[in-house]
Amino acid sequence: MPDGTSCEHGIYARSDADVTVDLRIMATSDLHMQLLPYDYLAGRPCNDRSLTQLAGLIGAIRQEHPNTLLFDNGDLLQGNPMGDYLAEAPQATAQIHPAIALLNALRYDAIALGNHDFNYGLGFLRRTLRHANFPGLAANMRLRSGPQFGDYVILPREVTTRCGQTVQIRVGVIGLLPPQTSHWDRDLRQHVECHDIVETARHLIPRMQAQGAQIIIALGHCGIGPLDHRPGMEHAATALAAIDGIDAVIAGHTHNVFPGPHVPATPGVDPIRGTLAGKPAVMPGYGGSHLGVIDLRLNRDHAGAWRLADFGAKAVPVSGTTTSSPDLSAPALAAHRHTLRHYRRRVGHSQTPLNSYFTALGVDAGLRLVNMAQRWHVRQQLAKTPWKDLPVLAAAAPFRSGGRAGANAFTDVAPGPLTLRALADIYVFPNHACALLATGAQLADWLERAAGAYCQITDGSDGQPLMNPDFPGYNFDVIEGLTWQIDLTRPALYNPWGEPAQHGPGRIRDLRLQGNPVRPEDRFVLATSSYRLATCGLYAPLATQMRPLISEGPMVRQVLRQYVRRRRRIALDPGLGLRLLAPPQSEVSYPTGPAAARHLDLLPAQYRASIAGHDDSGHLQLSLRF
């Protein structure tokens, strides 16, 4: 036997390592209701992600490995039209939720709760979890009333040693979620409070050890950030891994894949070996695209303590490796059929293609439609108020714009009948319609924050990336009703997290309303979403200084549906009002979806766009010449 371990006649012979156990941990994260290999927004099957496809990998690993544990790391219940339908359908409160049924069938050992699992309210989440055969954990969340979610669980498991013996091991599992969760959902703030991830874990890990946890797995629904702890940090996975007593970390929330070459090596982060603060870690992508696998080799010493002797970590892609399990799909098929029937309902007709392939280039008719609907709603709500005579503008961002969600994650609605599916494609999240009182200076600052989406372009650039890969598309707000220029020769004033990055004149130039310059003291009404009223995030330092005029409106998707039904026929200029300024003769590379090649005629002539090929993630790369 390797490592000095030997077995003689079925009796363990003592050596430097008294007992050796190979424990394999499997993990999913950010499934976002991708239970079946079907893209509800595109209206077609997909073969690159789903829980039922991962089931084949999970089953194969269990057959070849005697000691396995299976966890999910949050954001399970929200993310596609099936999730929305089940949250709104009456039968969802009485029947087992298909996501829970599938996790039960796959014998999950525990799950962490993610921030989006709370989008439909505490009542819905509690009703959903009552059918679960596993605990749901949220250690750093405290509810102001009613039963609490679990902090951690200690799982007693019988495992087989390399010698074939059966021994006991107690695995502790703690679940944590972003402390910003209580701020992102306005309806949630009055019911819960969230605490710091790292401080919570530091407090609870010794308690878990005192209660017999011999190995501790942290399910951190958080991104991979700096090694040094900062109070309230959202991306705390690396700092979490540095805590004594934690043996392995499952990360998530940012939809990245770790280990992998797309994660930069920084202090405490080794994307090749797959470690955070020297501990094995995985982040398994988005929507069931990958299965996180951590292998732990554990030695039990003479005193009976388990020690981590070696490890391995990998993220196994589902694409091309397995097919969906028909037997496992059964619990989700009824909900699948009901979802398709519901979202095929027609609400209007569009004469314009509505797609998000070129949003950052100032072209997106779908986003204009969202903003026009928001303006219409806010004008109605303020018609009998002191604010009725102020100009009403609207801010919104594209929710499907590729990036880590994949090369096919773009809105693409063809001209023709507009269905509920099409509107869900245009506006994905269950945000509420809101409105703020804004000055001209605040509008300029709002757009400065969005302008962080672009890289700085230097003279003579040749193929330089246009887009900052660290900037999430859902933060790229455009403001309907204004025109403005973005000077790409200047550095961004803010980083993607809203922190000041530079001092200077900024990138926003020539801000105008109906051709007239916007003065800093001018006043406006800005229609936006409840997500922008959160007290954290890119826009929070600005939004918290602005007076809310509407803070508890209906869901934006409901407003969009009502607006389309009222207009019935949609014909829009796709221009968003922004213009990019770059050094003359500069050439940049712009990533978008492969299907964008059919819509290049939508781009303004100033870009002189041509196709430059595809990158490793499948995104189409356009060459733009200014």
Side-chain angles (χ1 to χ4, degrees), residues 227 237-243 246 249 258 266-270 274-281:
L227 178 62
T238 313
L240 179 65
I243 297 175
I246 290 179
V249 171
F258 183 87
T266 58
V269 179
D270 187 336
T275 61
L276 300 177
K279 312 283 183 64

Side-chain angles (χ1 to χ4, degrees), residues 53-73:
Q53 289 171 284
L54 284 178
L57 283 174
I58 293 168
I61 288 173
R62 281 179 169 151
Q63 285 185 350
E64 69 185 30
H65 204 290
N67 309 316
T68 60
L69 292 169
L70 177 60
F71 304 114
D72 183 73
N73 196 34

Side-chain angles (χ1 to χ4, degrees), residues 23-26 62 68-72 107-112 133-137 152-159 167-175 208-209 211-219 298 306:
L23 181 64
R24 175 162 284 189
I25 299 163
M26 298 179 287
R62 281 179 169 151
T68 60
L69 292 169
L70 177 60
F71 304 114
D72 183 73
R107 308 195 311 276
Y108 272 72
D109 293 283
I111 69 169
N133 297 336
F134 45 81
L137 307 174
Y152 57 83
V153 63
I154 298 176
L155 304 171
R157 291 292 185 264
E158 287 190 345
V159 293
V167 296
Q168 290 277 344
I169 189 170
R170 293 171 62 83
V171 180
V173 185
I174 184 171
M208 296 171 67
Q209 293 171 323
Q211 294 178 5
Q214 298 164 304
I215 297 295
I216 295 180
I217 312 299
L219 306 180
L298 306 171
W306 291 98

Side-chain angles (χ1 to χ4, degrees), residues 46 49 77 83 154 276 325 333 359 451 498 503 513 543 562 589 601:
C46 62
R49 62 191 67 215
L77 300 173
I154 298 176
L276 300 177
S325 169
L333 290 180
T359 311
H503 297 285
L513 172 70
Q562 292 172 344
S589 176
D601 59 312

Side-chain angles (χ1 to χ4, degrees), residues 543-581:
T544 52
Q545 299 174 10
M546 301 164 71
R547 178 176 176 175
L549 302 181
I550 301 173
S551 58
E552 298 293 339
M555 284 192 178
V556 176
R557 285 188 304 211
Q558 181 181 345
V559 170
L560 179 60
R561 185 184 312 175
Q562 292 172 344
Y563 181 73
V564 170
R565 281 179 171 157
R566 182 182 179 89
R567 286 196 56 168
R568 302 191 69 175
R569 301 190 72 84
I570 304 298
L572 297 175
D573 180 343
L576 295 176
L578 69 89
R579 184 185 177 198
L580 301 180
L581 302 179

Side-chain angles (χ1 to χ4, degrees), residues 373-394 433-438 523-528 547-554:
Q374 290 187 118
R375 295 175 78 186
W376 167 76
H377 170 75
V378 168
R379 285 193 186 103
Q380 286 186 314
Q381 297 302 305
L382 299 182
K384 297 181 180 180
T385 72
W387 322 108
K388 60 183 175 60
D389 294 326
L390 290 181
V392 177
L393 311 174
C434 300
L436 300 168
L437 182 63
R523 296 202 305 169
F524 306 86
V525 174
L526 182 65
T528 183
R547 178 176 176 175
L549 302 181
I550 301 173
S551 58
E552 298 293 339

